[in-house]
Amino acid sequence: MTHNIYLYILVAAAMSCLIRVLPLILIRKKIKNRFLRSFLFYVPYVTLAVMTFPAIITAPQAPLAGILALAVGIVAAWKGMNMIGIAVLCCGVVFLWERFF
């Protein structure tokens, strides 16, 4: 059994393209179903959350630092802080936690 890396890359590229292009080909009209439209509205946010939250906890050396930074970030966002400020604040929390604890 031979392994052809170019065949694997071609198949992966074709599947990736098919997943992105197929909905554009099959769905031509505007979606009128309210439930489906509301579901599709939240898909990008859920996808981002599913990719981000595990990384927040597993990226620091101490998972507790990530959880603490997440809590601080949620409170800062709730209070109206901008995104850059929240990112800097959360990085600072992780840095300080890992430095001193």
Side-chain angles (χ1 to χ4, degrees):
M1 183 170 176
T2 62
H3 298 284
N4 188 350
I5 188 72
Y6 297 113
L7 179 63
Y8 296 152
I9 293 171
L10 181 66
V11 169
M15 289 297 111
S16 180
C17 184
L18 188 66
I19 289 170
R20 288 171 173 80
V21 171
L22 200 58
L24 296 174
I25 293 172
L26 295 179
I27 303 172
R28 299 224 179 237
K29 295 186 233 172
K30 183 174 179 168
I31 299 172
K32 294 179 182 171
N33 186 336
R34 287 179 56 196
F35 175 76
L36 188 58
R37 287 181 63 188
S38 66
F39 173 78
L40 292 174
F41 177 79
Y42 290 108
V43 167
Y45 302 110
V46 170
T47 305
L48 181 64
V50 166
M51 292 186 308
T52 305
F53 287 139
I56 290 171
I57 296 171
T58 59
Q61 292 177 355
L64 190 58
I67 294 169
L68 183 63
L70 176 64
V72 169
I74 289 172
V75 170
W78 194 274
K79 296 290 184 177
M81 184 180 272
N82 64 8
M83 194 175 289
I84 299 295
I86 293 171
V88 169
L89 181 65
C90 291
C91 289
V93 166
V94 170
F95 176 76
L96 291 174
W97 184 268
E98 290 184 349
R99 178 90 171 143
F100 295 113
F101 295 104

